[in-house]
Amino acid sequence: MKTEAWLFAGVAGFFLATGAFYTWLSGREPAGTAALTVSFVMASLVSFFCAMNHRRRGPRPEDRKSGEIAERAGPLDFFPPRSGYPPLTGLGAALTALGVVYGLWLFIIGFGLLAAGVFGLAFQYVHRD
């Protein structure tokens, strides 16, 4: 994760320099300045996450030159056999997007379905042993 942290820190630095130059050159044009600022913040967030993950867990087998493939073997995680929440989430996302075009009433219905699907996915197996 250390390499990824440095990579995204470089991307964040690029967006910071580009944003400062763009702001100076364009005379504080708000849309481009906001887009470059948000890009800088998002890249910084990913870099921070990778750095903290590396600090907490240490180097991964992929980070070491002597790392073996067998060190990553084993179960990855729990994957549910069936769930009704992914189709509900997809339907909610589609109705929310259509609600932007056709009206607030459809947006609210879609957002409700989307929220129910996302919360269902997140908390479906909370009490799994």
Side-chain angles (χ1 to χ4, degrees):
M1 285 291 201
K2 190 174 187 179
T3 305
E4 290 91 344
W6 281 108
L7 178 72
F8 278 102
V11 171
F14 169 77
F15 282 126
L16 179 65
T18 305
F21 183 70
Y22 181 83
T23 302
W24 173 71
L25 193 64
S26 70
R28 298 182 188 260
E29 190 269 327
T33 303
L36 289 168
T37 303
V38 168
S39 298
F40 163 71
V41 170
M42 289 191 308
S44 298
L45 182 67
V46 172
S47 175
F48 178 74
F49 171 77
C50 290
M52 287 298 109
N53 218 6
H54 174 73
R55 185 175 291 167
R56 268 190 223 130
R57 297 182 181 178
R60 301 172 300 179
E62 298 91 27
D63 296 334
R64 297 188 319 259
K65 291 191 187 276
S66 63
E68 295 289 329
I69 294 174
E71 292 180 56
R72 270 297 208 203
L76 295 176
D77 203 357
F78 171 74
F79 298 100
R82 295 178 206 82
S83 177
Y85 292 112
L88 182 64
T89 304
L91 178 66
L95 287 178
T96 302
L98 285 172
V100 171
V101 176
Y102 290 112
L104 183 63
W105 64 274
L106 189 58
F107 179 83
I108 292 172
I109 293 171
F111 188 77
L113 288 175
L114 180 64
V118 168
F119 282 115
L121 279 171
F123 299 116
Q124 182 175 12
Y125 292 102
V126 168
H127 300 293
R128 180 176 60 94
D129 291 318

